C-alpha cells in the first residue's frame, strides 16, 4: 500500500525471469486442531541468506523443520531445486541443519562429529580426512579435532555445529537460532563470520531467529512471521522503513502508533486528523485510501525533533510534557506525555558533550517531524 | 541452606542402623563356630566349607545364575524396545494398552503374577502341547515378563531426558533410522542399559514367589532352596551364603563406582 | 516443468527400505506380542478358572463349557467368590492384610521421611554416599535380609541375648512369629521404596522458598509445616503406595516372621494353591486381591504424574 522508492538492483527476487530455488506453496501444518503454520507461500532464491523472524509460537521453527524433513506438512507442497520434497525423509534431503542446541554427538570427537555426514555417504577415507581438515580450518578450529564437545566453549561448539552442517555441501543450510546461545559480544563477531562463510561457499541459508537485530544484520531478506502466517517479506531496510502493517511496524524496532481519520486524500499527499496526536498529520505522498477512512500513522522514535520553541509549521507537531528521560550513552530516550494522554517515545543522538541547558523533567516541549518521516498503515 | 533438625538427623541414623544391623549380624554369625547360631563359639570358616560341599545349593545357584543371565538379557531387549516405542514413536493405536501392560507388572503382587503365569502355562500345555514341562524355560519367560517392566522404566526415563535433536541431527546428516539408533541412541543410553540389565539380573536372582509357581521338578532355584532351609529355622550355612552374596555385591558396587569416577575424570 | 518427469522414476527395491517402512510395526509388535501373551492373557485365564469348579483331575478344575444333547452349556461357578465372603478366614485375612499394610506404610513414612529429608539437604559426595547406602540393601537378596531378622528377633536371638546380658529382662521377650515381627520385616523390606520417591521430591524443592519463608518471619518448624510438607505430598503419596501395594500381597515376610495367625492374602493364596490344590479358589482370591489394589494403584499413578509435572 505504501509507495516506496525501488532502486533498480539486480536482486533475483525483483526479477521475473529467475526461478526460485525453494518454493513453499500453501503449506499448512496442524498439530491437532492448532495450525502452527497456516497457508504459507514463499519463494527463496539461490544464494540468499533468508531470515524467518518471529516470536515464540509464530511457526518459524515448524516451517524450518518441514524444510529439513522432520515434520510433514498437513497440506501444501515444498520444492527444493525443482524437486518435490513430499515423503522424502530427512536423511535423503539435500539440506542440512544447524540446531539451536547444536545437537553435537556428545560421545564423538569434533572430527568424528564433522565427518559423520560424509561417512553416511560412504565417502573415501582419504577424502573425508581432507574435507574435515579443510572445514575445521574454515571455522578456525584446526587443532581441536580430537576434543570432545564438552571440552569446548560455547562459541567453539557453535562452529563445530556449523562445520558439521556444511561438510556435505548441502544445497540449503537451515539454521535454527544459530547465535541464540552466545553472549552479546560473541554474537556480534559471529554474525559477520557467518555472512563471510555464506558468501565464500555460496550456499543458500535459511535462518530462524527471534532477534530482529540479528535478522537485520545477517539477511538479504526477512520474512516476518506471526501466528503461523507470513506478515511481510522484504529486505531489512524495507521491513524497517516501510512496514506493511501494524504488527510488523510494532515488532521491528519501536514505534509510536497514532490512530487517525483521513481528511484529505490526493495523488501526491494525504492529510490525517489524529486525536491521539492532537494535530493534523501531513504525508507527502499518495495513499490508496478514502476520505473519512480510519488508519494508523507509525512514527519511529528517531525520526522526530524535540525543541523548546514552537516550530514554524501548521501540521506535524504537537506539544507535550517531558515525563521521563533515560540517558543511554550514545543517545537519550524521552517519554513525552501529550494532552490526549498518549505517551510518545522519542530518541535523540547525544552529539554534544555538556549541553548547557539540556531539556529536563516536567518541561513543556514541542515535537515535530517531516512530511515523509512516518508510515501510513491501513491494516 | 536450611539446617536439618536434631530429631531428623537422629531418626536418619536410626534408620541406617535399622537397614544395616541385620546384614551385619548375618556376616558376623557366618564366622561362628557354634551350630547354635546366636551363641558365639569362636571364629571359624567351617560353614563356608560346608556350603561349598552342598550339591543342592551349588546346583540351585548355577540354575539361578543361568536363569538370571538369560532373562535379564531378553528383558533388556524387549524392555528397551518398549521404552523406545513409548518415548519415540509418537501416537499410535494401542499405545495406551502397551503403556498399561508395561507398568502394571511393577505393582502386581508376585503371588498373582506367579499364579496367573502358571495357569497360562497349564492352559497352553493342554491346548498347544507346549510347554510340555515346566522348568528353566517357564521361569525365564516369567522373569523376563516382570523384569522387562523395570528395564522399560529405567530406559524410558533416560530416553526422555535425552536431547532428541541429536537424533534428528544424525538423520539430517544422512543416517537412516536403524543407523541413528546404533550410532547415537544406543551409546547415549548405554549406562542406563547397564544398570537396567543389572537390576533385571538381581531381581531374577532374588525371586522366590514367581519361580515357585512356574518351576518344575529338578529346576529349584537358589531362593527356593534357601526358603525351604530357613523355613525350618536358622541354618549357619545360609549365613555363609548371604555373606558371599553381600561380598560379591559390595565388590561390584566398588568396581562400578571406581569405573564411573575414572570415566568422569577422563571426561573433564 | 521438466523436473516433474524425474520424480516418477522408480527406485530399486531395497531391504533397507522395507525395514524403514515396516520396521516400525516390527518394533511395536514384538513387545506388544510378548506382553499380550505373557501378561494380559494370564488374567483372562485366572478369571476363567476362578469361575470354574474344582475337580479331582489334571488340571484340577472342570471346563466352563460342555456339550450335552446338542446344546452348548456354559457353566459359570460363582461359588468360589461366595465362599470367599462366607468363610470368615478369607474376610479376616483381607482385613489383616489391609491393617498390616496400612500401619507398615505409616511406620515406613515416619522413618523414611526424615531420612529422605536429611539426604536431600546434604550436598555433593555425602548425598551420593547416603543415597547409595539406601539402595545397597535393595541389591542384596531380599529373602536373606528377611531371614536375618529371625536371628535377631528369636527367643535366643541378638536382642534377647543382649537385654538379658545387661539385666534389663529376666526371660526372653517373644518377638518372633508375631505381628510385630511382620511389621518389622515389611517396613525393613520396603523402606527404600518410601525413601527414593520422597528424596526425588524433596531434592527438587526450591530452597529459595524456604529462605523466603524464613525471611517473612517463619520459624524452621513453621516453614517445614507450611512449605516443605505440603509441597512434598505427591512424594508422600507415591512412596506410601509403593510400600502399601506390595505389602498387601506380601508372602515371604508373614511366612517367615509372622505367627500362624498372621494371615495375609498372599499367604492364603499360596496355601490354597500349594497345600489345598484348590486352583479355582486360589484364582478367586487373586481376583479379589486385584480389586483391592485398583484404588492404591490409581493414587500412585496420579502422584507419579504430579511428581513429573513438577
Amino acid at each position: 500500500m505504501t509507495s516506496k522508492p525501488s532502486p533498480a538492483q539486480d536482486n533475483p527476487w525483483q526479477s521475473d525471469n529467475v526461478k526460485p530455488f525453494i518454493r513453499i506453496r500453501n503449506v499448512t501444518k496442524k498439530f491437532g486442531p492448532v495450525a502452527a503454520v497456516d497457508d504459507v507461500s514463499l519463494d527463496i532464491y539461490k544464494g540468499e541468506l533468508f531470515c524467518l523472524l518471529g516470536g515464540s509460537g509464530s511457526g518459524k521453527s515448524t516451517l524450518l523443520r518441514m524444510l529439513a524433513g522432520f515434520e510433514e506438512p498437513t497440506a501444501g507442497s515444498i520444492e527444493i531445486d525443482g524437486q518435490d520434497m513430499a515423503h522424502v525423509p530427512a536423511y535423503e534431503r539435500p539440506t542440512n541443519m544447524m540446531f539451536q542446541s547444536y545437537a553435537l554427538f556428545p560421545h564423538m570427537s569434533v572430527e568424528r562429529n564433522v565427518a559423520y555426514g560424509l561417512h553416511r555417504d560412504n565417502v573415501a577415507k582419504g577424502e573425508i580426512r581432507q574435507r574435515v581438515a579443510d572445514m575445521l580450518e574454515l571455522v578456525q578450529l584446526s587443532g581441536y579435532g580430537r576434543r570432545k564437545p564438552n571440552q569446548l566453549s560455547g562459541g567453539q561448539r557453535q562452529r563445530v555445529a556449523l562445520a558439521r552442517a556444511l561438510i556435505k555441501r548441502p544445497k540449503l543450510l537451515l539454521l535454527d537460532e544459530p547465535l541464540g546461545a552466545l553472549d552479546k559480544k560473541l554474537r556480534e563477531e559471529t554474525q559477520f563470520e557467518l555472512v563471510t562463510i555464506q558468501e565464500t561457499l555460496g550456499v543458500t541459508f535459511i535462518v530462524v531467529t527471534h532477534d530482529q537485530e540479528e535478522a537485520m544484520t545477517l539477511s538479504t531478506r526477512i520474512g516476518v512471521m506471526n501466528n503461523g502466517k507470513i506478515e511481510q517479506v522484504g529486505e531489512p531496510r524495507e521491513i524497517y522503513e516501510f512496514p506493511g502493517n501494524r504488527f510488523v511496524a510494532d515488532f521491528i524496532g519501536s514505534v509510536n502508533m497514532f490512530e487517525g481519520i483521513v481528511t484529505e486524500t490526493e495523488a501526491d499527499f494525504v492529510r490525517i486528523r489524529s486525536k491521539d496526536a492532537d494535530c493534523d498529520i501531513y504525508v507527502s505522498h499518495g495513499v490508496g485510501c478514502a476520505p473519512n477512512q480510519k488508519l494508523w500513522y507509525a512514527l519511529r522514535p528517531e525520526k522526530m525533533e524535540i525543541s523548546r520553541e514552537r516550530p514554524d509549521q501548521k501540521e506535524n507537531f504537537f506539544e507535550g510534557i517531558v515525563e521521563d528521560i533515560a540517558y543511554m550513552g550514545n543517545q537519550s530516550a524521552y517519554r513525552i506525555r501529550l494532552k490526549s494522554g498518549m505517551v510518545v517515545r522519542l530518541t535523540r543522538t547525544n552529539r554534544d558533550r555538556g549541553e548547557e541547558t539540556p531539556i529536563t523533567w516536567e518541561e513543556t516541549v514541542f515535537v515535530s517531524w517531516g512530511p515523509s518521516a512516518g508510515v501510513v498503515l491501513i491494516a | 541452606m536450611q539446617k536439618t533438625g536434631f530429631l531428623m538427623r537422629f531418626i536418619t541414623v536410626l534408620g541406617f542402623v535399622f537397614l544395616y544391623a541385620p546384614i551385619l549380624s548375618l556376616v558376623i554369625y557366618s564366622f561362628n563356630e557354634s551350630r547354635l547360631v546366636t551363641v558365639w563359639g569362636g571364629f571359624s570358616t567351617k560353614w563356608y566349607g560346608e556350603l561349598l560341599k552342598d550339591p543342592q545349593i551349588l546346583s540351585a545357584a548355577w540354575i539361578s545364575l543361568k536363569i538370571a543371565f538369560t532373562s535379564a538379557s531378553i528383558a533388556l531387549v524387549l524392555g528397551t524396545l518398549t521404552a523406545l516405542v513409548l518415548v519415540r514413536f509418537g501416537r499410535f493405536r494401542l499405545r495406551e494398552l502397551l503403556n498399561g501392560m508395561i507398568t502394571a507388572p511393577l505393582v502386581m503382587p508376585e503371588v498373582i503374577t506367579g499364579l496367573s503365569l502358571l495357569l497360562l502355562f497349564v492352559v497352553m500345555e493342554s491346548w498347544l502341547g507346549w510347554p510340555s514341562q515346566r522348568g528353566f524355560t517357564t521361569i525365564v519367560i516369567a522373569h523376563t515378563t516382570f523384569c522387562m517392566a523395570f528395564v522399560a522404566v529405567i530406559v524410558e526415563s533416560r530416553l526422555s531426558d535425552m536431547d532428541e535433536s541429536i537424533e534428528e541431527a544424525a538423520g539430517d546428516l544422512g543416517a537412516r533410522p536403524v543407523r541413528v539408533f546404533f550410532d547415537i541412541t544406543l551409546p547415549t543410553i548405554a549406562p542406563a542399559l547397564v544398570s537396567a540389565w543389572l537390576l533385571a539380573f538381581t531381581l531374577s536372582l532374588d525371586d522366590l514367589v514367581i519361580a515357585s509357581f512356574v518351576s518344575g521338578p529338578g529346576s529349584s532355584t537358589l531362593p527356593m532352596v534357601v526358603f525351604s532351609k530357613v523355613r525350618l529355622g536358622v541354618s549357619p550355612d545360609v549365613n555363609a551364603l548371604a555373606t558371599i552374596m553381600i561380598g560379591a555385591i559390595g565388590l561390584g558396587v566398588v568396581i562400578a563406582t571406581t569405573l564411573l569416577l575414572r570415566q568422569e575424570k577422563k571426561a573433564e | 516443468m521438466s523436473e516433474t518427469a524425474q520424480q516418477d522414476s522408480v527406485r530399486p527395491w531395497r531391504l533397507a527400505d522395507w525395514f524403514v517402512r515396516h520396521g516400525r510395526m516390527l518394533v511395536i509388535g514384538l513387545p506388544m506380542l510378548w506382553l499380550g501373551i505373557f501378561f494380559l492373557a494370564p488374567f483372562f485365564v485366572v478369571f476363567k478358572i476362578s469361575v470354574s469348579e474344582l475337580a479331582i483331575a489334571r488340571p484340577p478344575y472342570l471346563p466352563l463349557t460342555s456339550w450335552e444333547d446338542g446344546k452348548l452349556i456354559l457353566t459359570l461357578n460363582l461359588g468360589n467368590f461366595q465362599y470367599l465372603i462366607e468363610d470368615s478366614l478369607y474376610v479376616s485375612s483381607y482385613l489383616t492384610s489391609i491393617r498390616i499394610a496400612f500401619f507398615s506404610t505409616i511406620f515406613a513414612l515416619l522413618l523414611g521421611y526424615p531420612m529422605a529429608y536429611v539426604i536431600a539437604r546434604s550436598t555433593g559426595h555425602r548425598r551420593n554416599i547416603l543415597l547409595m547406602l539406601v539402595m545397597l540393601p535393595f541389591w542384596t537378596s531380599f529373602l536373606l535380609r528377611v531371614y536375618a531378622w529371625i536371628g535377631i528377633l528369636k527367643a535366643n536371638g541378638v536382642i534377647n541375648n543382649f537385654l538379658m546380658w545387661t539385666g534389663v529382662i529376666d526371660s526372653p521377650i517373644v518377638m518372633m512369629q508375631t505381628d510385630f515381627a511382620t511389621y518389622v520385616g515389611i517396613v525393613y523390606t520396603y523402606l527404600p521404596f518410601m525413601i527414593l520417591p520422597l528424596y526425588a521430591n524433596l531434592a527438587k524443592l526450591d530452597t529459595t522458598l524456604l529462605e523466603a519463608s524464613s525471611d517473612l518471619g517463619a520459624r524452621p518448624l513453621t516453614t517445614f509445616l507450611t512449605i516443605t510438607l505440603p509441597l512434598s505430598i505427591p512424594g508422600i503419596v507415591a512412596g506410601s503406595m509403593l510400600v502399601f501395594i506390595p505389602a498387601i500381597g506380601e508372602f515371604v515376610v508373614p511366612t517367615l516372621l509372622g505367627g500362624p495367625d498372621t494371615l495375609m492374602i498372599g499367604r492364603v493364596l499360596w496355601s490354597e494353591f500349594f497345600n489345598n490344590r484348590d486352583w479355582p479358589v486360589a484364582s478367586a482370591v487373586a481376583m479379589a486381591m486385584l480389586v483391592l489394589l485398583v484404588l492404591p494403584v490409581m493414587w500412585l499413578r496420579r502422584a507419579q504424574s504430579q511428581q513429573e509435572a513438577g
Side-chain angles (χ1 to χ4, degrees):
Chain A
M1 286 296 149
T2 48
S3 82
K4 54 198 153 199
S6 50
Q9 284 176 347
D10 49 356
N11 285 325
W13 50 90
Q14 285 159 339
S15 153
D16 288 334
N17 41 29
V18 179
K19 242 173 20 105
F21 185 61
I22 293 145
R23 285 165 178 250
I24 299 169
R25 285 279 167 275
N26 304 98
V27 163
T28 296
K29 175 68 190 181
K30 285 190 172 171
F31 294 110
V34 188
V37 171
D38 191 359
D39 195 26
V40 164
S41 294
L42 187 62
D43 285 340
I44 293 169
Y45 296 84
K46 205 173 185 93
E48 264 203 272
L49 203 165
F50 191 95
C51 271
L52 285 169
L53 176 64
S56 58
S58 61
K60 57 188 195 305
S61 292
T62 309
L63 188 58
L64 195 76
R65 289 171 62 79
M66 284 192 283
L67 284 163
F70 300 133
E71 311 280 356
E72 285 262 315
T74 314
S77 71
I78 293 175
E79 231 176 69
I80 297 176
D81 201 11
Q83 202 194 345
D84 186 10
M85 286 292 130
H87 308 302
V88 177
Y91 52 83
E92 281 174 358
R93 293 199 180 196
T95 63
N96 283 119
M97 176 144 162
M98 190 183 140
F99 289 79
Q100 185 176 10
S101 63
Y102 305 147
L104 298 181
F105 308 133
H107 55 297
M108 296 184 191
S109 65
V110 168
E111 269 170 0
R112 285 194 53 211
N113 260 285
V114 175
Y116 190 84
L118 296 181
H119 280 295
R120 295 293 73 73
D121 284 359
N122 297 318
V123 176
K125 283 232 167 69
E127 196 193 334
I128 291 181
R129 212 171 303 128
Q130 189 55 47
R131 276 168 73 174
V132 169
D134 291 349
M135 191 47 82
L136 287 180
E137 202 181 315
L138 181 72
V139 297
Q140 300 161 28
L141 279 176
S142 303
Y144 288 87
R146 310 227 164 245
R147 296 219 188 166
K148 287 276 179 72
N150 62 2
Q151 297 167 309
L152 299 176
S153 71
Q156 289 167 338
R157 278 183 219 179
Q158 192 260 0
R159 297 207 294 269
V160 175
L162 184 64
R164 189 181 69 180
L166 280 170
I167 195 129
K168 292 183 79 170
R169 298 172 188 150
K171 290 179 179 171
L172 172 62
L173 188 72
L174 306 166
L175 302 97
D176 190 359
E177 303 274 1
L179 309 173
L182 304 181
D183 58 50
K184 193 170 159 45
K185 203 149 187 183
L186 196 55
R187 193 155 61 210
E188 278 168 11
E189 283 170 30
T190 317
Q191 277 175 4
F192 291 107
E193 266 179 41
L194 211 55
V195 174
T196 315
I197 287 175
Q198 195 258 346
E199 281 169 358
T200 317
L201 300 177
V203 178
T204 310
F205 276 30
I206 297 181
V207 178
V208 153
T209 180
H210 68 278
D211 182 338
Q212 40 159 309
E213 216 174 293
E214 189 174 306
M216 293 280 178
T217 323
L218 287 176
S219 49
T220 52
R221 284 193 304 155
I222 296 174
V224 182
M225 286 195 76
N226 179 40
N227 278 331
K229 288 185 187 301
I230 295 222
E231 297 277 354
Q232 189 178 358
V233 177
E235 292 167 48
R237 216 183 82 85
E238 200 179 326
I239 298 263
Y240 186 80
E241 303 288 359
F242 303 99
N245 56 39
R246 279 182 293 155
F247 176 83
V248 176
D250 201 39
F251 187 78
I252 311 283
S254 94
V255 75
N256 298 299
M257 197 76 71
F258 303 99
E259 194 179 310
I261 304 255
V262 179
T263 51
E264 274 179 77
T265 170
E266 297 292 336
D268 58 346
F269 78 93
V270 183
R271 205 182 296 275
I272 300 163
R273 167 147 304 149
S274 167
K275 257 197 195 141
D276 287 343
D278 199 24
C279 70
D280 278 0
I281 298 167
Y282 174 82
V283 184
S284 63
H285 59 76
V287 175
C289 61
N292 294 325
Q293 187 184 340
K294 183 168 121 180
L295 38 62
W296 292 268
Y297 187 67
L299 198 53
R300 298 223 181 258
E302 74 278 9
K303 306 246 192 263
M304 297 179 275
E305 300 285 340
I306 181 170
S307 85
R308 288 197 180 90
E309 283 84 45
R310 178 180 289 270
D312 186 23
Q313 56 198 65
K314 281 208 307 265
E315 52 256 308
N316 289 7
F317 81 93
F318 49 67
E319 190 181 326
I321 293 168
V322 177
E323 201 176 71
D324 208 351
I325 306 173
Y327 176 74
M328 296 184 298
N330 60 344
Q331 58 176 15
S332 291
Y334 298 81
R335 285 164 59 85
I336 294 157
R337 182 173 291 277
L338 310 188
K339 280 204 190 107
S340 68
M342 186 171 168
V343 175
V344 168
R345 193 185 137 91
L346 179 151
T347 56
R348 188 183 179 204
T349 312
N350 294 323
R351 276 195 212 90
D352 305 317
R353 273 187 298 170
E355 246 181 295
E356 268 180 33
T357 52
I359 288 169
T360 182
W361 281 265
E362 303 298 333
E363 254 190 86
T364 302
V365 290
F366 295 93
V367 174
S368 59
W369 60 94
S372 64
V375 184
V376 177
L377 301 170
I378 294 188
Chain B
M1 181 127 280
Q2 199 87 2
K3 274 213 168 156
T4 48
F6 170 76
L7 188 68
M8 290 264 195
R9 273 177 292 163
F10 178 73
I11 295 176
T12 304
V13 172
L14 216 65
F16 279 112
V17 170
F18 178 64
L19 280 179
Y20 282 90
I23 295 175
L24 203 67
S25 82
L26 276 183
V27 174
I28 292 173
Y29 283 107
S30 75
F31 295 107
N32 189 2
E33 168 76 35
S34 165
R35 172 165 284 279
L36 291 168
V37 180
T38 46
V39 179
W40 186 254
F43 181 85
S44 153
T45 53
K46 74 172 184 190
W47 302 114
Y48 289 86
E50 244 167 69
L51 184 76
L52 296 177
K53 273 183 277 176
D54 187 337
Q56 201 196 0
I57 290 237
L58 288 183
S59 82
W62 179 235
I63 289 173
S64 273
L65 286 173
K66 277 194 295 185
I67 289 173
F69 184 86
T70 317
S71 40
S73 304
I74 305 173
L76 184 70
V77 174
L78 289 174
T80 305
L81 284 185
T82 313
L84 214 60
V85 166
L86 289 177
V87 179
R88 287 283 189 271
F89 276 32
R91 305 195 162 278
F92 58 92
R93 274 177 306 159
L94 303 178
R95 184 183 185 279
E96 279 316 301
L97 176 69
L98 184 65
N99 193 25
M101 287 197 299
I102 198 71
T103 47
L106 299 174
V107 292
M108 196 52 65
E110 290 169 318
V111 279
I112 295 187
T113 311
L115 175 76
S116 64
L117 272 165
L118 169 68
L119 297 180
L120 176 83
F121 290 138
V122 170
V123 168
M124 280 172 84
E125 189 190 344
S126 68
W127 284 5
L128 308 170
W130 182 91
S132 59
Q133 173 190 340
R134 290 189 291 279
F136 183 83
T137 314
T138 50
I139 301 177
V140 164
I141 289 174
H143 283 183
T144 301
T145 308
F146 87 93
C147 287
M148 70 186 268
F150 288 86
V151 172
V153 167
I154 293 176
V155 178
E156 216 183 318
S157 84
R158 181 71 193 92
L159 272 176
S160 30
D161 282 349
M162 181 178 169
D163 181 6
E164 213 173 321
S165 64
I166 74 168
E167 289 176 351
E168 287 179 344
D172 183 62
L173 293 167
R176 286 159 178 282
V178 177
R179 183 94 218 180
V180 173
F181 178 76
F182 284 104
D183 278 1
I184 308 298
T185 318
L186 207 56
T188 313
I189 62 172
L193 294 185
V194 172
S195 43
W197 189 88
L198 285 174
L199 181 66
F201 185 82
T202 314
L203 287 170
S204 165
L205 204 60
D206 204 17
D207 168 66
L208 163 72
V209 176
I210 297 173
S212 299
F213 276 97
V214 298
S215 78
S219 62
S220 290
T221 62
L222 189 59
M224 289 166 70
V225 171
V226 169
F227 184 67
S228 63
K229 262 179 182 285
V230 301
R231 219 174 178 177
L232 308 169
V234 174
S235 67
D237 51 346
V238 173
N239 285 346
L241 176 69
T243 306
I244 291 174
M245 288 179 78
I246 291 164
I249 285 153
L251 197 70
V253 168
V254 168
I255 291 171
T257 316
T258 35
L259 280 180
L260 220 70
L261 285 178
R262 200 177 290 170
Q263 221 171 24
E264 266 171 37
K265 246 179 216 156
K266 228 173 162 187
E268 271 162 25
Chain C
M1 231 159 263
S2 62
E3 286 93 356
T4 44
Q6 291 178 352
Q7 287 165 30
D8 298 328
S9 65
V10 180
R11 282 196 316 178
W13 190 88
R14 279 181 293 178
L15 188 67
D17 285 334
W18 186 86
F19 263 107
V20 168
R21 217 155 293 142
H22 300 273
R24 192 184 149 89
M25 293 291 291
L26 213 71
V27 172
I28 296 176
L30 211 60
M32 204 82 168
L33 201 68
W34 182 285
L35 288 168
I37 295 175
F38 295 117
F39 183 76
L40 200 58
F43 287 102
F44 291 103
V45 176
V46 171
F47 178 73
K48 181 196 144 195
I49 293 176
S50 75
V51 292
S52 54
E53 244 173 290
L54 180 66
I56 300 170
R58 234 185 104 93
Y61 56 88
L62 292 177
L64 292 186
T65 51
S66 52
W67 190 260
E68 253 172 56
D69 303 334
K71 277 184 273 186
L72 180 71
I73 298 165
L74 176 72
T75 326
L76 289 184
N77 176 18
L78 297 177
N80 299 319
F81 288 99
Q82 197 183 351
Y83 178 58
L84 291 192
I85 296 167
E86 282 168 1
D87 193 323
S88 65
L89 172 91
Y90 298 103
V91 177
S92 83
S93 80
Y94 274 81
L95 294 179
T96 309
S97 287
I98 294 173
R99 191 189 77 225
I100 290 181
F102 178 76
F103 286 109
S104 302
T105 306
I106 300 285
F107 295 140
L109 181 63
L110 291 178
L111 190 54
Y113 197 104
M115 294 178 78
Y117 187 84
V118 169
I119 297 171
R121 289 285 158 276
S122 54
T123 46
H125 229 55
R126 194 190 169 86
R127 177 194 272 206
N128 288 337
I129 289 173
L130 289 177
L131 258 185
M132 207 176 74
L133 282 177
V134 170
M135 285 190 275
L136 208 55
F138 181 75
W139 291 88
T140 56
S141 167
F142 150 70
L143 183 60
L144 291 173
R145 282 183 295 127
V146 173
Y147 155 78
W149 281 101
I150 301 179
I152 293 174
L153 295 176
K154 64 182 197 166
N156 60 349
V158 177
I159 292 179
N160 276 320
N161 278 356
F162 177 76
L163 291 179
M164 274 156 69
W165 177 70
T166 53
V168 177
I169 51 169
D170 298 327
S171 56
I173 310 168
V174 179
M175 288 180 286
M176 264 304 286
Q177 305 205 320
T178 60
D179 283 0
F180 168 74
T182 311
Y183 283 125
V184 168
I186 290 182
V187 172
Y188 175 72
T189 307
Y190 296 112
L191 188 59
F193 290 111
M194 178 63 87
I195 296 176
L196 293 177
L198 272 173
Y199 161 78
N201 175 293
L202 290 168
K204 264 196 299 189
L205 182 73
D206 181 0
T207 49
T208 58
L209 294 183
L210 308 182
E211 286 164 359
S213 162
S214 77
D215 181 60
L216 294 169
R219 291 170 175 284
L221 184 65
T222 317
T223 299
F224 176 78
L225 291 177
T226 54
I227 311 292
T228 312
L229 200 58
L231 285 173
S232 62
I233 283 173
I236 293 176
V237 175
S240 299
M241 291 306 111
L242 283 177
V243 175
F244 184 84
I245 293 165
I248 282 282
E250 186 52 52
F251 163 75
V252 174
V253 176
T255 311
L256 287 184
L257 302 179
D261 53 338
T262 316
L263 276 177
M264 293 181 72
I265 327 173
R267 216 176 153 187
V268 169
L269 190 154
W270 180 284
S271 64
E272 282 302 341
F273 185 83
F274 286 103
N275 306 344
N276 303 348
R277 279 186 59 81
D278 192 338
W279 292 17
V281 167
S283 300
V285 170
M287 295 307 292
M289 199 196 292
L290 277 182
V291 171
L292 196 61
L293 289 176
V294 169
L295 216 57
V297 168
M298 274 163 53
W299 282 335
L300 174 67
R301 292 199 68 163
R302 209 178 56 187
Q304 279 172 336
S305 58
Q306 272 174 348
Q307 286 259 55
E308 270 163 36

